Amino acid sequence: MAVSAALRAAITRAQNADQHSEPVFSPLRGLGRGRLTPIDLLGQSLSTIAPATGMVFIALWMITYSPGYVGLAAIAATTSAVFLVAFCITQFTRRLAAAGSLYSFVFQGSGIRATLTAGAALVLGYLGISVSVFSQAVPSLLDTIAIVGPDVRGTAATVITTVAIALAVAWIAVRGVRFATRAILVVEACSLILIVVVMLATHSDTTTAVALPNPSLSAVPFLAMLTVLSMAGFESSAFFGPEAKRPLISVTRTVLISPIICGVLFVFAAWAAMTGHGATIVGAYFEGTASGASAEVVLAVKIGMTCSWFASTLGCAQAGSRLLYSMGIERVLPAPLARVHRRFRTPYVAVLAFVAVSAAGVFIYSDTVRDDSGSFDGVVETALVCAYTLVAFASWKFLRRIGEHTSLTRICTVSVSVAGAGLLVYIVLDGAVHGMWALPFAALAVAVSGTVWSSLLRRARPESLLMVGAFDSVETADLLPGAGTLLIDGDGRRRLVPDRGTSEGDSPEHGR
């Protein structure tokens, strides 16, 4: 009887529902909801990280500076620290989906200035990663062409190749995430299999002859920072929460799984380098056949690494464009960045802007920065560590505000916040001691960016400050008929009110 009465009440509410009220939409609905599967999200994260390239560079530094088991332990410990950062991020991904990722998450726990600071750090970090991997993809592709055909390396070829890669990345990113991520996942998996097989199948005690600059840090801290930089972008799947199926589950799992997969691969690469199994693949990539590797192995390694560099460039463009799109929606950046392609539902203006700036950065990097790549990488690392520290602290404040802290979350969020702040201080002091003044200046610029940005917005577009922190929210179409009417009140908040003819006791709001 109770079930029948409830069913009759639901039918009555549906019949009396107000069908003429203005529908309420999610601010992020333009991207297209519920399209991406967990495989798509994993492909996005791994493409941004490009673990194949990270394995080769970790093996290179392990061979060159021989930190031994201490270096191996540093890589493993850094992986554990990144996993704790991932755990802090999942306190938000379990509860909301936002195209701004960490930028939007920080708003839920901290103020507007901290949010804009995190946004500036993320823009700087993702653009820096994009420029770095893009600048590696160009010569890697030219080297591959030189192996199978004419040697076309030179200034003109570099410019043409850079433009061609930029156009390819922009076209694929506008075409859609699903169009790219699965193919990229297959390519990256093939690259990883190739590297693992070559490492296991070869053994050589010959050290590489690659000329490398001495890092400003000692070998162990440098390996830790290299691991952080190699894992940068592990959280990029969070940018696609509004586009994912069951985002609160699928994004959370991807954010947690990605650093574990990469950490295992990086530890394996370090072990291979220590035991003589990494010299062949390092020599094949950096020295070609001059290292003693066969032409077939060199070609396979070059193709695999080129694909991995390209995938990382594409992953950065896809993630960075969502960040710019979210800021465009909120009007903290120019509104045209929020324009979405009618057919593909991708933020094409944001994609084109991100790729264009990245391509311009490649030319600047090649002309002025390449000889001081340590400072460039240090600036990127500073920005990323700042963003991760802010989101960890914001997760602590967020959980305290909603009353859902546990002993585990308190320990993790406080530990990551303190460790991140300490690492920032160490980076700044180490940069000052070694004359790498770009690092202290970068830290200072990021630290004041939120205050300066919010002051400018308060004068130019004060209404934008009320829109910061946009995330995918319930729409009118998400409600069952008769459940109520979704309205936006004077404060801009969504409120579910009973339909006409619905008693207060039947209202979904009753008793809350």
Side-chain angles (χ1 to χ4, degrees), residues 299-323:
L299 179 60
V301 171
K302 285 288 186 180
I303 292 175
M305 292 290 284
T306 300
C307 292
S308 195
W309 289 126
F310 179 84
S312 186
T313 305
L314 177 58
C316 289
Q318 294 186 140
S321 64
R322 267 62 181 180
L323 175 61

Side-chain angles (χ1 to χ4, degrees), residues 98-165:
S101 186
L102 309 190
Y103 160 76
S104 301
F105 297 158
V106 170
F107 177 77
Q108 301 301 320
S110 303
I112 291 178
R113 283 182 294 182
T115 303
L116 294 175
T117 301
L122 282 173
V123 171
L124 177 60
Y126 269 87
L127 277 175
I129 299 169
S130 180
V131 170
S132 180
V133 297
F134 199 159
S135 63
Q136 294 285 351
V138 173
S140 184
L141 178 57
L142 291 175
D143 290 345
T144 305
I145 295 174
I147 294 174
V148 298
D151 190 345
V152 295
R153 287 171 289 194
T155 303
T158 298
V159 172
I160 293 173
T161 304
T162 301
V163 173
I165 292 177

